[in-house]
Amino acid sequence: MAFPEGFVWGAAAASYQIEGAAREDGKGPSVWDMLCRKPDAVWEGQTGDVACDHYHRYAEDVGLMKRIGLGGYRFSISWPRVIPDGTGHVNPKGLDFYSRLVDELLSAGVEPFATLFHWDFPYELYCRGGWLNRDSAGWFADYATAVVEKLGDRVTHWMTLNEPQCSVGLGHHEGRHAPGDKWNWPEVLRVGHHTLLAHGQGVRAIRAASPQTCRVGFAPVGVVRIPATDSEADIQAARTDMFAVRDKTTWNNTWWMDPVFRGAYPEDGLALYADDLPPIEDGDLETMHQPLDFFGANIYNGTTIRAGEGGTPEVVPNPTGIGLSAYKWPVTPDCLYWGPRFFHERYRLPVYITENGTSSNDWVAIDGGVHDPARIDYTARHLLALNRAITGGVDIRGYFHWSIMDNFEWAEGVKERFGLIHVDYVTQKRTLKDSALWYSEVCAANGENLLKTQ
Ligand code: IFM
């Protein structure tokens, strides 16, 4: 079966990873600006100060998106660019940047999908307790209002948060991401609780400020389990494991998704974290549980599970020598079949794949091209798996490749290249990789060419 009519063929990026212009036009500092200045926090001491210089080169970048034929572009908005101190004074120049970007996208025929928070939290708010402060939910809602009042006449697809599992877990527990804290579970879960409250208050703010009907979603990490075989027992074991909270890490689905999509923290998580729970006030779960229009899933790989004794889920180790990305992430294409299938089954919302992609060691070759066959193969296999999910009845509305261009990969600096477009960080020259030319054909054919390769 073909991809559905109107399927959005897109690509994604995030503000801190591409914009640069870290101190221009009134932008305030974010926790990432702070972390990048700490010795050894980021590979080779790199920062996002310049990154891809997209702030100045956005028109060229949108031109390349048009050339590829993207139907959608998922970008994020930098909170401290819009509100330098995080609350209070709104910076008109910051908002103007996103307004120009949106106009450029629309005139190129590329639908904007905006994410309000992709980790660049305002440093000034961190100094006021950051996400530990319960007021953070209201700060976020005020910021959402300012953005939607400016862009809501043209942007109809919004996402509140990107991957809270990372911003909370890597940022406040493991200390590998900004703000670099290594806190205990009571603080980490309090940060998580306020983040989810911010989501809920943010959704209300978006809908209140939008001058037209808009679609609002949430883009968590999709932690995917793949059944070892098609037996009912293995499928059930994978499903059970995918929606379980087993260990004290943030790497699970339900702690983050159940409050948002079902209005309750999962029972197993409540038991596991019994001694660490944050204060949960009356009405908090109702606030988190706002009606949403879509489920955004960021999926890169999955873990294989089989039914052990009595159906108990057991991890099946990856085959020796499995394909690995440059980042050493295993290549497991079935994650884009089982992930959307299980998420749709549980949360009953249309799905967008809001991120999927791979890093590879790309450079400009002697012939001037950038040859990245691994990315083409990775993406083709994942899209074919996604197509099987669609054929099987899962309501999937679009796919956003991560990433439109090479960018600042957080603590890894610019070492990991995820882009369809190669960026030379010395000259800022952009080169369409082979994968961009290939993806362009996929977009134009609505994926039909892919299906013929099977
Ligand atoms: O670059 C990140 C992105 O910011 C969030 N999701 C995963 C990507 C690859 O690591």
Side-chain angles (χ1 to χ4, degrees):
M1 185 179 135
F3 286 87
E5 210 177 301
F7 187 83
V8 180
W9 294 96
S15 46
Y16 191 74
Q17 295 183 270
I18 64 169
E19 285 176 3
R23 280 175 284 277
E24 269 180 65
D25 289 342
K27 177 184 168 292
S30 76
V31 290
W32 270 97
D33 292 306
M34 171 189 90
L35 185 84
C36 289
R37 265 151 198 87
K38 267 179 142 175
D40 302 327
V42 177
W43 187 69
E44 291 195 343
Q46 293 172 355
T47 73
D49 283 2
V50 177
C52 308
D53 196 29
H54 173 74
Y55 187 76
H56 299 110
R57 295 168 197 262
Y58 72 92
E60 177 189 354
D61 293 337
V62 174
L64 292 172
M65 294 176 204
K66 183 175 178 183
R67 203 165 137 202
I68 296 173
L70 292 191
Y73 172 52
R74 175 174 178 243
F75 62 99
S76 80
I77 293 166
S78 161
W79 183 347
R81 193 181 291 291
V82 171
I83 306 186
D85 293 336
T87 55
H89 164 71
V90 176
N91 175 25
K93 287 190 175 169
L95 275 179
D96 281 349
F97 166 67
Y98 296 106
S99 187
R100 291 196 303 276
L101 172 64
V102 165
D103 284 344
E104 197 75 26
L105 287 166
L106 291 173
S107 65
V110 182
E111 175 89 36
F113 283 68
T115 304
L116 289 166
F117 181 63
H118 196 131
W119 310 351
D120 38 2
F121 188 79
Y123 172 73
E124 287 303 327
L125 295 184
Y126 180 67
C127 297
R128 292 166 65 185
W131 289 114
L132 268 186
N133 186 333
R134 195 178 154 93
D135 290 346
S136 52
W139 300 335
F140 180 74
D142 291 346
Y143 153 64
T145 301
V147 172
V148 179
E149 279 177 350
K150 177 79 178 182
L151 306 180
D153 56 339
R154 287 154 292 154
V155 175
T156 55
H157 287 81
W158 297 96
M159 278 152 277
T160 51
L161 312 177
N162 185 72
E163 300 181 349
Q165 295 101 320
C166 294
S167 56
V168 178
L170 295 174
H172 298 276
H173 180 59
E174 298 180 31
R176 290 192 280 139
H177 278 192
D181 294 321
K182 293 187 179 174
W183 287 337
N184 294 324
W185 285 104
E187 290 75 42
V188 175
L189 295 185
R190 192 181 283 232
V191 162
H193 189 71
H194 296 159
T195 304
L196 294 179
L197 277 177
H199 159 82
Q201 291 197 29
V203 177
R204 284 190 185 134
I206 294 168
R207 295 208 196 276
S210 178
Q212 54 182 323
T213 307
C214 59
R215 300 209 164 86
V216 188
F218 172 63
V221 174
V223 179
V224 173
R225 301 293 187 242
I226 301 169
T229 71
D230 279 345
S231 75
E232 254 323 300
D234 284 348
I235 293 173
Q236 185 49 36
R239 183 187 283 120
T240 302
D241 202 63
M242 186 155 142
F243 297 113
V245 182
R246 293 205 187 286
D247 330 294
K248 289 195 181 182
T249 74
T250 55
W251 306 114
N252 68 70
N253 294 308
T254 48
W255 189 259
W256 310 96
M257 298 175 190
D258 277 16
V260 165
F261 297 108
R262 297 175 132 197
Y265 278 118
E267 290 299 329
D268 55 356
L270 288 169
L272 179 76
Y273 293 128
D275 297 333
D276 311 315
L277 291 175
I280 301 177
E281 297 187 8
D282 283 350
D284 281 1
L285 272 306
E286 285 76 15
T287 299
M288 293 172 184
H289 184 212
Q290 295 300 308
L292 288 178
D293 303 293
F294 63 91
F295 180 97
N298 292 1
I299 300 175
Y300 289 83
N301 48 54
T303 301
T304 304
I305 296 287
R306 69 174 161 234
E309 193 69 23
T312 309
E314 278 179 10
V315 173
V316 179
N318 285 328
T320 305
I322 190 173
L324 300 174
S325 70
Y327 217 155
K328 307 293 178 228
W329 291 357
V331 179
T332 56
D334 282 348
C335 63
L336 271 208
Y337 172 75
W338 290 104
R341 178 173 152 173
F342 284 149
F343 285 132
H344 187 251
E345 198 178 85
R346 185 173 178 93
Y347 299 120
R348 316 297 323 160
L349 280 177
V351 175
Y352 284 91
I353 301 302
T354 36
E355 288 184 22
N356 168 255
T358 187
S359 73
S360 53
N361 296 314
D362 307 321
W363 62 87
V364 181
I366 200 160
D367 62 5
V370 179
H371 309 303
D372 57 341
R375 178 166 294 99
I376 295 175
D377 191 69
Y378 173 98
T379 310
R381 287 176 188 272
H382 285 73
L383 285 172
L384 287 170
L386 189 66
N387 183 266
R388 277 197 291 123
I390 294 170
T391 307
V394 183
D395 182 359
I396 300 168
R397 304 283 173 93
Y399 170 87
F400 291 83
H401 190 79
W402 184 271
S403 171
I404 182 62
M405 64 181 96
D406 293 337
N407 59 52
F408 178 80
E409 177 57 23
W410 309 114
E412 306 304 320
V414 298
K415 168 161 58 76
E416 300 299 334
R417 292 183 179 267
F418 276 90
L420 293 167
I421 300 171
H422 179 273
V423 176
D424 178 326
Y425 293 104
V426 176
T427 61
Q428 290 295 345
K429 185 175 186 306
R430 275 74 165 134
T431 306
L432 294 183
K433 299 183 190 176
D434 288 353
S435 59
L437 304 173
W438 168 85
Y439 192 54
S440 174
E441 289 168 15
V442 175
C443 299
N446 196 29
E448 301 252 354
N449 53 343
L450 261 181
L451 302 175
K452 286 187 196 133
T453 61
Q454 285 191 101

